[in-house]
DNA sequence: CGACACTTTGAAGACGATCAACGCCGGTGG
DNA sequence: CCACCGGCGTTGATCGTCTTCAAAGTGTCG
C-alpha cells in the first residue's frame, strides 16, 4: 500500500491538492511504488508509453539521443514533478521520445496509462493535471524564447535563480543539487560554455566556487534575470511587465 | 447562436471530437464569435487573461516584446487551433505573457475563463483539452530541441515539411500561407538568415521561388528532415526511431 | 593505485546576428 | 497617371558568440 510509504510526500503532491484522502486512496489503488538506483533507466527512448510517473524522492534526467549519437537533456525532474505528461495521452500507441535515467537514488509512483481516464473523472484532478501540463508547456515556451534572446551567462543566471526559488535555497550559499555537466546539458549548451559563463557571473552578483553558489545581492540578480525572464509564479518580479505598453511593438 | 455560423468548422474541431451535438450546443452556449481584421489585436501582453480562444478562420500571430523593444513571435495559430491554453489555468490572476495579432481577417470563438471548469466536467472534453495542451507542449519541446541541434537550413526544411503535412499541401508546388518575415520570426531567426537558408535548400530537394515552394523529391526531404525530427503524428517517419538502441548513450 | 568522468582553460573555427545597401512591390496622395 | 513612401526580400561584409578540439588538473570509485 503506497500511502503507507510516503504519506506526507503524497499528501503534498500538487496533483492531489484539493482532493480528499479517501479519493486519493482510491486513485492510488492502481499505482505502485518503485525504487531506482543512480544510473537506472526508468524507460528507454523507443519503448511503448505504458505509465504515468510521479517522482517522490530523488531526481531523474530525461534525454534523447540524436542519430549522430549526441545526447540532449530535455528535462531534469525533481521530487514532486511528473513524467510522461506529454506522451501518455497518445498511449497505448505512442513510444517514448526520450529516455529517463535516475540521477540519484529515487522512488517513483507509477500509474498504468489506463489510470488517466479514471483520474480525469475527478474534476479536481483533471484541473490539477491540466494545470501541471500547461505550466510545463509554459516553462518550455519561456526557455525556448530564452535560447533565442539571452546569452549563455544570462541563461545560467536565470536557471540558478529559478533553482533558488524552486528549492527555496538560501541565497547566501547553497549547493548545486546536481552536476554542472547536467545543468549545461539541460540548458542546451556545452560544458565549456557553461564553465565560461559562470566565471562571468560575478559582475551580476553571483559567485560560484565548486558546487557552492552565492547570490551576493539577490535584488541585483533578480533585476538582471527578470528583465529577460517572465515565468509567471516562478519569477517573483514577472508582474513588473504587466504595465508595459504593448503598443510600442511593430505589428506585421 | 454560434453553431449557425460555422457548423462544419465547429463540428470538425478536435476539441469537440467524440462529443454529441447536444453537448456541443450546451458547451457553446457561453461562447461568442468575434470578427477581427488584419492587424487587429486580440489581446495585449499584460492584459488580464479572461478568455479561451478557438480560431475558426484566419490566422493569428502571438508575440512578445522584450524590454529592449524587440519582437519575438512565439506561435502562429491557424484555423482549428486554440489560444491561451497555457495561460487560462491561472485565471483570473494571470496576465497575458504575449500579444495576439490577426495576420489575416479572422473569426474566433471566445469562451470566458469560467467556462473551463464546466467544460472539464465532460470527461471527453477534459481528455481532448489535455491532449491538445500536451501535444502543444510536445511540439514546443521538439522545437526547442531543434534550436540547439539543427542549423538554420535544417530548421527551415523541417518547418516547411511540417507545414506541408499540417495543411495537406501539394508537394509539387504550394504557396506560403504567410510572409517569410513571419516564418523567420516564428523560427527565432533573422529575415536575413532565413533568406540565406532557403537558398541553400536546393541541395535537399526544396526549391523556393518567391512564395512558391516545391518539394522536388518528397522522400529526400523527409529523409533529411526526419533524421533530426520526431514530432510524433506530424512527422510521418518518426516511427523509424522506435528501434534505435538507446544503450549507446553515455549516461551521466 | 589506476581508470574514468568531471571541470577548467586556451585556441581555432563555424555559424548566426548585425549593419548597410539595393531592388521590388503595393498603397497613398498629389 | 505618376511620384513617393514604407515594408518586404535579398545580398555582401563584418562582428560576436558558441562550438569544437586539445590539454591539463581534480576528484571519485573500484
Amino acid at each position: 500500500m503506497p500511502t503507507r510509504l510516503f504519506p506526507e510526500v503524497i499528501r503534498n503532491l500538487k496533483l492531489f491538492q484539493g482532493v480528499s484522502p479517501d479519493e486519493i486512496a482510491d486513485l492510488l489503488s492502481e499505482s505502485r511504488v518503485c525504487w531506482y538506483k543512480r544510473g537506472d533507466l526508468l524507460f528507454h527512448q523507443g519503448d511503448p508509453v505504458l505509465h504515468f510517473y510521479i517522482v517522490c524522492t530523488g531526481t531523474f534526467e530525461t534525454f534523447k539521443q540524436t542519430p549522430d549519437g549526441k545526447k540532449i537533456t530535455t528535462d531534469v525532474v525533481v521530487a514532486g514533478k511528473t513524467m510522461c505528461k506529454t506522451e501518455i495521452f497518445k498511449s497505448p500507441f505512442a513510444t517514448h521520445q526520450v529516455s529517463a535515467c535516475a540521477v540519484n537514488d529515487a522512488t517513483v509512483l507509477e500509474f498504468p496509462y489506463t489510470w488517466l481516464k479514471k483520474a480525469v473523472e475527478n474534476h479536481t484532478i483533471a484541473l490539477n493535471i491540466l494545470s501541471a501540463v500547461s505550466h510545463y508547456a509554459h516553462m518550455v515556451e519561456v526557455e525556448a524564447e530564452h535560447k533565442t534572446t539571452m546569452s549563455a551567462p544570462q541563461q545560467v543566471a536565470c536557471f540558478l535563480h529559478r533553482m533558488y526559488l524552486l528549492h527555496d535555497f538560501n541565497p547566501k550559499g547553497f549547493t548545486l543539487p546536481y552536476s554542472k555537466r547536467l545543468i549545461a546539458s539541460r540548458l542546451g549548451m556545452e560544458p565549456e560554455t557553461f564553465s565560461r559563463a559562470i566565471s562571468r557571473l560575478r559582475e551580476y552578483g553571483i559567485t560560484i566556487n565548486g558546487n557552492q553558489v552565492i547570490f551576493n545581492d539577490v535584488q541585483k540578480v533578480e533585476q538582471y534575470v527578470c528583465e529577460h525572464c517572465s515565468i509567471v509564479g516562478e519569477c517573483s518580479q514577472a508582474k513588473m511587465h504587466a504595465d508595459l505598453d504593448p503598443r510600442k511593438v511593430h505589428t506585421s
Side-chain angles (χ1 to χ4, degrees), chain A:
Chain A
M1 183 64 176
T3 41
R4 290 274 180 77
L5 297 167
F6 308 97
E8 72 300 333
V9 174
I10 290 172
R11 228 192 351 256
N12 291 328
L13 286 175
K14 272 195 177 173
L15 211 60
F16 293 139
Q17 258 176 22
V19 181
S20 72
D22 284 357
E23 287 174 313
I24 293 180
D26 188 40
L27 284 163
L28 289 174
S29 64
E30 286 185 41
S31 73
R32 63 177 187 195
V33 173
C34 296
W35 284 257
Y36 294 91
K37 276 184 295 190
R38 191 167 78 97
D40 283 353
L41 283 174
L42 188 56
F43 49 80
H44 283 154
Q45 182 177 7
D47 284 354
V49 180
L50 300 175
H51 298 280
F52 175 74
Y53 305 91
I54 305 179
V55 178
C56 292
T57 63
T59 310
F60 279 84
E61 168 193 23
T62 60
F63 61 93
K64 184 177 273 197
Q65 67 172 342
T66 55
D68 50 341
K70 283 195 189 171
K71 181 182 162 187
I72 306 163
T73 300
T74 55
D75 202 9
V76 174
V77 186
V78 298
K81 299 285 179 183
T82 59
M83 302 182 83
C84 294
K85 47 184 163 301
T86 70
E87 299 180 319
I88 195 72
F89 300 99
K90 304 186 184 82
S91 268
F93 308 111
T95 55
H96 283 293
Q97 297 301 304
V98 295
S99 304
C101 176
V103 176
N104 306 319
D105 293 357
T107 47
V108 178
L109 210 50
E110 302 188 2
F111 301 86
Y113 71 91
T114 50
W115 170 82
L116 202 69
K117 269 214 182 76
K118 187 185 160 194
V120 164
E121 292 175 7
N122 182 317
H123 307 153
T124 307
I125 294 279
L127 283 171
N128 284 350
I129 296 179
L130 264 168
S131 182
V133 175
S134 79
H135 187 268
Y136 174 74
H138 184 242
M139 191 201 64
V140 179
E141 273 179 334
V142 170
E143 296 208 352
E145 178 197 321
H146 285 181
K147 267 182 200 158
T148 60
T149 57
M150 308 201 326
S151 68
Q154 285 175 320
Q155 287 180 61
V156 172
C158 196
F159 183 83
L160 290 176
H161 182 252
R162 254 185 304 141
M163 179 180 271
Y164 146 72
L165 290 178
L166 180 64
H167 295 290
D168 200 27
F169 282 147
N170 177 5
K172 287 295 160 214
F174 62 88
T175 306
L176 292 176
Y178 33 84
S179 76
K180 293 181 177 178
R181 204 177 192 77
L182 180 54
I183 298 176
S185 180
R186 166 62 222 284
L187 292 174
M189 58 182 71
E190 300 305 312
E192 296 94 326
T193 307
F194 182 81
S195 182
R196 281 184 247 269
I198 59 179
S199 63
R200 278 207 272 158
L201 280 181
R202 285 169 210 275
E203 327 164 18
Y204 302 105
I206 301 177
T207 309
I208 301 180
N209 266 325
N211 286 327
Q212 279 297 308
V213 180
I214 302 172
F215 289 171
N216 302 107
D217 184 346
V218 180
Q219 296 214 339
K220 192 173 174 185
V221 171
E222 290 190 338
Q223 262 184 22
Y224 175 56
V225 158
C226 290
E227 253 169 49
H228 302 269
C229 169
S230 55
I231 301 187
V232 176
E234 296 199 332
C235 181
S236 51
Q237 302 196 352
K239 55 188 181 306
M240 281 172 53
H241 294 294
D243 36 29
L244 276 175
D245 182 2
R247 264 151 282 232
K248 262 183 278 173
V249 175
H250 314 290
T251 58
S252 60

